Amino acid sequence: MSHTAHIPSHRKPRQRASKSALRAGVAGGVLSTLAVAGAAGPAQAEPVTQTIEMPTITTGLSTAVAASAQATQQVALDLETRAYEDAAAESAAKKAKKAQAEAVRKAEAKKKAEAKAKAEAAERAERASRTAERTTLSAPAASSSGNSSSASAPSSSSSTATGSAGAIVAFAKAQVGDAYVAGGTGPNAWDCSGLVQAAYRTVGIDLPRVSQSQSTAGTQVSLDNLQPGDILYWGGAGSAYHVAIYVGGGEFVGAQNSSTGTVQRSMDYDQPTGAVRVL
């Protein structure tokens, strides 16, 4: 083989030149980009020298919301206050009504108690007056009758009423429980002489209206010799202040007073001064 002949090499071809060129191109592009950016940067960016304060947003909407909340709160407060006031008024009204009812009840109870006390006092005074009259007039009455002044209970034989006397007694007993009214002549309310007059009228006898005249309308009889139908009187003959009808058995029926009304009682309850017989 000739010494000038080409002998192929086993080594790879060198690529250093092309790679270097490529690297140089990339580097240049990067540097160019940085140069452009550097040139443009100072022109657009400025250093921050102050803080910009954003304006406060105050709009009609926020004002309206605040006003609405305040109004709602005020309405709630007003409603709560009114509720308290209504509850207090209702409680006060109930207490006032209860106090008024209690006052009325106490006034009625006091009125009844006073009326009862007054009636009892009147009855005691009436009994005391009758006792005083009886004490004063018992001696003259006994002298005029010619008998002892002590009044014993009538005999049992005089306790049975018949004829006109029976009618008078029956009428008198039928009125027991009626009211006593001054000046009363029936049919459901009487005073003492009104009852006696009405009882005698049932048998056709017209007696005087008042007790003073009735006590002298017949024959005077002693209290130990009474018969049913006789008129009992308290006080003096001709000046009696109370009359009743003897019904037998030692008892009488009379319109006593406004407290007791018309009653049937024993003569021991209130001993009469004298008696008169009309039949």
Side-chain angles (χ1 to χ4, degrees), residues 152-163:
S152 58
S155 62
S156 59
S157 60
S158 63
S159 62
T160 302
T162 59

Side-chain angles (χ1 to χ4, degrees), residues 104-126:
V104 170
R105 185 189 67 79
K106 289 182 177 179
E108 291 179 351
K110 182 179 179 181
K111 185 177 180 181
K112 290 181 179 179
E114 290 177 349
K116 183 178 180 181
K118 185 177 180 180
E120 291 176 350
E123 183 176 4
R124 287 193 298 268
E126 184 177 359

Side-chain angles (χ1 to χ4, degrees), residues 46-71:
E46 294 181 0
V48 178
T49 60
Q50 63 181 354
T51 301
I52 300 175
E53 182 178 356
M54 298 299 292
T56 302
I57 300 176
T58 304
T59 65
L61 178 60
S62 62
T63 303
V65 170
S68 176
Q70 184 177 4

Side-chain angles (χ1 to χ4, degrees), residues 130 133-135 138 141 149-151 222-223 226 231-235 241-244 246 250 252 266-275:
R130 291 176 185 176
E133 286 283 348
R134 184 166 58 250
T135 301
S138 59
S149 60
S150 61
S222 66
L223 297 179
L226 294 174
I231 300 174
L232 304 177
Y233 63 84
W234 286 256
Y241 57 84
H242 183 66
V243 290
Y246 180 69
F252 67 87
S266 170
M267 289 175 58
D268 294 336
Y269 168 77
D270 190 6
Q271 191 74 24
T273 304

